[in-house]
Amino acid sequence: MNKKSHKKKQKRRNRNDGRNKENIIEADVATKQNGDAKEPQIEQDKPKQDLCYEIKHSDVMGRYLVATRDIKAGEVIIEAPAVVVGPCSGCGLICLGCYRELDETSLTKCVGCKWPLCSSSCQGLGKYTGHSTYECETLKSVTPDYSNIEDLKDSYQALAPLRCLLLKKEDPDKWAALSAMEAHNDIRRARGDIWPMNDRNVVQRLKKWDLEYDEEEIHTVCGILEVNAFEVGVSGANARALYDEAYLLAHDCTPSTTHTDAEGRPARPLTVRASIPHRAGDIISLCYAYTLQGTLKRREHLRLSKFFECSCLRCADPTELGTAASAFRCPRCGARVLPADPLRAPAPWRCARCPYEMAAAAVLLLLQRLTDEYEQIDANDVAGFESFLTKYRNVLHDSHYLFLSAKHSLSQLYGKVSDFMIHEMSEEQLNRKVEICRDLMKVFDVIEPGYSRLRGITLYELHAPLMVLTTRDFERKAITKENLRNRLKEIVSYLSESALILGFEPRHSPEGLMAGAARHALSKIKTWEHIIGKIS
């Protein structure tokens, strides 16, 4: 039942398509592509005594990792180099070296195979984690048709499987590591959607390219990618990767680890850290679904794309561990309406206070309608998100996952977009941002506890309005010295934890930059000590 964590797809603004065509440059990458196999590697094989986990097996879970000793929050559990990296299925036109999206009217062609690149100096050229020499050599006989961009985009679905297959000859050790991963061929073959789709988009595509591979082997690597791949890269990247050992992490909808990939480092290693303390014997887990979704959506994703039914503590609890992340409001009494049996999709939903009941089919229809409406909101539309929260306040519980998603967006929009810049916001708006962040933290402390990215970002967002409100109160002499000290202590605690959590992220990632901003804000708060004395 192995699977991998999926980052939420960010909404994007519409692009301006009215640009000049055929601004295409050819990249001379011959000097770049010299020895993929010699790319520096991350040391992967720790001495056995240094490992903090062991592999166990059960009929229900398959293989999984268990702590062999106590593990501290923030401690590195696994650091593994990528076995293979490739484009995500269904991506747009992207660079084969770094996976950044390309403007189809202005791109660079690889001088060897003519496939799309971002530039002739792309950092992924000549590396097995990007556009390798052996991939380039293979694709020389498959000239892309730039007059049919949609077909070219479709052809990207075959590239990650092709990269897996190329390892059999080019890097037998990586092929062996990949081959040890679960593909769930029997389950996938029995499905009426996945197997035919892969046959059409991958098997037939490779045949069209005159590449001789066994059909069963092609389907197997497709399954390995679907079951085990991590989505990797910062915003704007469209890549997935396989990692040895990390693929054995068990799933839980309240994960005990967090992970980051180092795009700029050799072999693009994945680092898995404990987000909470582990005791010896604890299962080490991550979430293969998006934690900010409700049980119905998470279990549907896991069933359709990871091929198992989740029955973790969160999924089995109608209240989702007390968060009410799937709860509706009763139209009769206003109490919570929850699933009678969350592990049985056809089960009715019932009010916790009165006899009101909803059929499962009605719940699905309502959720779909609300989700469709939510997804129409522009990513930067503060008023749109607030309107959604107001419109459905008598339909959805305050912490329903659609409301959480809206609040998550608002927590980052307030203070950063036009008409809502942090120092221009009214006191009412600043307090609204504080309220939203506190609402989110109550849920995040349960569903992504400890050193999680969601908590680190939200703590940073929480400090900003509190700091502005505190400064304004001080400037108009509306706060006592003692209250000022207490408020600053609170802000320092949020910034310190945020800097610690986000400090585990790559330095130049958005989260890494936020960690730097948190540290800078902490240093500025120190200047208040000449007024109120030592803060901490």
Side-chain angles (χ1 to χ4, degrees):
M1 57 164 256
N2 301 314
K3 80 7 117 198
K4 257 34 309 159
S5 163
H6 286 257
K7 299 176 183 175
K8 183 182 179 185
K9 301 291 184 187
Q10 299 295 317
K11 295 183 180 181
R12 294 178 185 161
R13 302 182 193 178
N14 292 330
R15 296 180 180 273
N16 178 8
D17 294 321
R19 284 170 277 208
N20 295 329
K21 288 189 174 283
E22 297 306 323
N23 263 340
I24 297 177
I25 305 167
E26 289 202 354
D28 184 354
V29 297
T31 56
K32 291 255 180 194
Q33 299 186 333
N34 53 3
D36 309 283
K38 295 180 181 179
E39 183 178 351
Q41 300 290 307
I42 299 300
E43 186 60 46
Q44 174 180 19
D45 299 322
K46 285 186 177 183
K48 198 171 181 81
Q49 65 268 24
D50 291 345
L51 293 178
C52 59
Y53 61 86
E54 63 181 347
I55 301 171
K56 290 201 170 185
H57 179 272
S58 78
D59 292 340
V60 175
M61 297 176 62
R63 293 173 293 171
Y64 60 100
L65 302 184
V66 170
T68 55
R69 59 169 174 79
D70 291 356
I71 303 172
K72 297 177 183 178
E75 186 175 345
V76 173
I77 297 173
I78 296 171
E79 185 175 40
V83 175
V84 69
V85 185
C88 287
S89 181
C91 69
L93 193 68
I94 63 171
C95 172
L96 294 197
C98 66
Y99 311 102
R100 296 299 191 273
E101 284 192 1
L102 300 176
D103 178 356
E104 62 194 59
T105 64
S106 180
L107 53 85
T108 299
K109 290 181 180 179
C110 173
V111 72
C113 63
K114 311 302 180 187
W115 278 69
L117 299 172
C118 62
S119 74
S120 59
S121 58
C122 175
Q123 64 180 6
L125 293 178
K127 297 179 180 178
Y128 84 91
T129 52
H131 186 43
S132 64
T133 53
Y134 50 84
E135 177 182 67
C136 185
E137 192 64 31
T138 302
L139 292 178
K140 279 181 179 178
S141 61
V142 188
T143 305
D145 183 0
Y146 287 96
S147 68
N148 190 346
I149 289 294
E150 291 308 311
D151 184 67
L152 178 57
K153 291 177 183 176
D154 285 344
S155 70
Y156 275 70
Q157 297 184 63
L159 292 179
L162 174 61
R163 291 181 179 184
C164 292
L165 294 164
L166 288 170
L167 291 175
K168 190 171 186 179
K169 174 185 175 184
E170 301 295 339
D171 196 325
D173 288 342
K174 288 188 176 65
W175 173 254
L178 178 155
S179 298
M181 300 180 189
E182 182 60 70
H184 288 309
N185 276 359
D186 291 341
I187 298 173
R188 293 168 52 253
R189 197 192 312 269
R191 287 262 296 267
D193 51 354
I194 292 179
W195 200 270
M197 181 183 67
N198 285 332
D199 186 76
R200 181 175 63 253
N201 296 330
V202 183
V203 176
Q204 298 308 318
R205 178 73 67 172
L206 294 181
K207 282 186 176 180
K208 181 181 176 182
W209 291 349
D210 292 326
L211 300 176
E212 298 296 329
Y213 290 106
D214 177 73
E215 287 191 19
E216 186 75 10
E217 200 163 61
I218 298 172
H219 278 291
T220 297
V221 297
C222 287
I224 287 170
L225 286 164
E226 288 159 5
V227 174
N228 302 286
F230 289 77
E231 289 187 9
V232 294
V234 295
S235 57
N238 294 272
R240 51 182 170 163
L242 296 173
Y243 293 92
D244 199 8
E245 296 294 287
Y247 77 94
L248 294 170
L249 289 162
H251 162 79
D252 197 292
C253 290
T254 52
S256 67
T257 66
T258 186
H259 60 273
T260 57
D261 71 285
E263 182 179 1
R265 289 176 59 194
R268 196 166 189 156
L270 184 83
T271 301
V272 178
R273 291 180 185 272
S275 53
I276 58 174
H278 292 63
R279 295 283 191 185
D282 286 351
I283 294 174
I284 303 170
S285 65
L286 54 71
C287 186
Y288 307 169
Y290 183 47
T291 55
L292 282 189
Q293 287 183 327
T295 296
L296 275 176
K297 286 291 185 182
R298 291 194 318 278
R299 296 190 83 234
E300 178 185 45
H301 167 76
L302 294 167
R303 182 176 65 256
L304 294 178
S305 64
K306 302 302 174 187
F307 316 109
F308 70 93
E309 297 277 1
C310 183
S311 56
C312 72
L313 291 177
R314 181 180 173 191
C315 285
D317 180 359
T319 72
E320 299 198 36
L321 306 180
T323 64
S326 293
F328 294 94
R329 286 203 181 279
C330 178
R332 295 179 184 172
C333 70
R336 297 184 300 184
V337 177
L338 298 165
D341 182 356
L343 299 184
R344 196 169 64 85
W349 290 52
R350 297 187 180 123
C351 178
R353 183 185 300 158
C354 78
Y356 178 77
E357 185 173 294
M358 290 178 72
V363 169
L364 290 174
L365 285 172
L366 178 57
L367 273 178
Q368 191 58 58
R369 182 170 66 82
L370 296 179
T371 301
D372 289 344
E373 184 172 339
Y374 174 79
E375 290 179 348
Q376 293 304 308
I377 304 171
D378 182 82
N380 293 319
D381 187 359
V382 170
F385 287 118
E386 288 286 16
S387 176
F388 183 84
L389 293 172
T390 301
K391 182 177 180 180
Y392 294 110
R393 66 185 183 278
N394 294 323
V395 177
L396 301 175
H397 188 273
D398 290 346
S399 56
H400 188 278
Y401 72 88
L402 287 173
F403 274 11
L404 291 176
S405 292
K407 289 177 180 180
H408 186 230
S409 294
L410 286 168
S411 72
Q412 297 177 69
L413 292 175
Y414 275 127
K416 295 179 184 175
V417 296
S418 179
D419 297 328
F420 296 98
M421 299 305 289
I422 192 71
H423 292 291
E424 299 168 3
M425 289 168 65
S426 67
E427 187 168 327
E428 181 182 4
Q429 291 168 338
L430 290 166
N431 281 315
R432 175 59 176 155
K433 175 159 178 155
V434 171
E435 177 187 29
I436 286 169
C437 290
R438 292 196 193 282
D439 286 348
L440 290 171
M441 286 301 298
K442 289 175 187 175
V443 177
F444 295 168
D445 284 344
V446 176
I447 65 172
E448 285 208 17
Y451 292 173
S452 69
R453 193 176 290 109
L454 278 177
R455 290 189 71 255
I457 291 171
T458 306
L459 286 166
Y460 180 82
E461 296 295 348
L462 176 55
H463 104 275
L466 288 172
M467 192 70 231
V468 174
L469 287 167
T470 300
T471 302
R472 288 181 185 176
D473 282 349
F474 175 76
E475 288 173 347
R476 63 173 184 255
K477 299 181 180 178
I479 187 171
T480 66
K481 195 171 184 179
E482 185 60 29
N483 284 342
L484 176 60
R485 180 183 288 108
N486 289 336
R487 278 212 215 163
L488 290 176
K489 281 184 179 179
E490 180 185 8
I491 293 167
V492 165
S493 72
Y494 296 150
L495 283 171
S496 298
E497 189 173 5
S498 176
L500 173 63
I501 294 170
L502 300 181
F504 296 133
E505 302 290 326
R507 185 185 304 175
H508 297 296
S509 69
E511 296 84 4
L513 294 172
M514 190 175 282
R519 290 189 290 269
H520 178 68
L522 280 169
S523 67
K524 289 182 68 175
I525 289 177
K526 288 291 185 182
T527 63
W528 288 76
E529 290 188 343
H530 75 279
I531 300 172
I532 60 172
K534 192 169 180 62
I535 296 171
S536 57

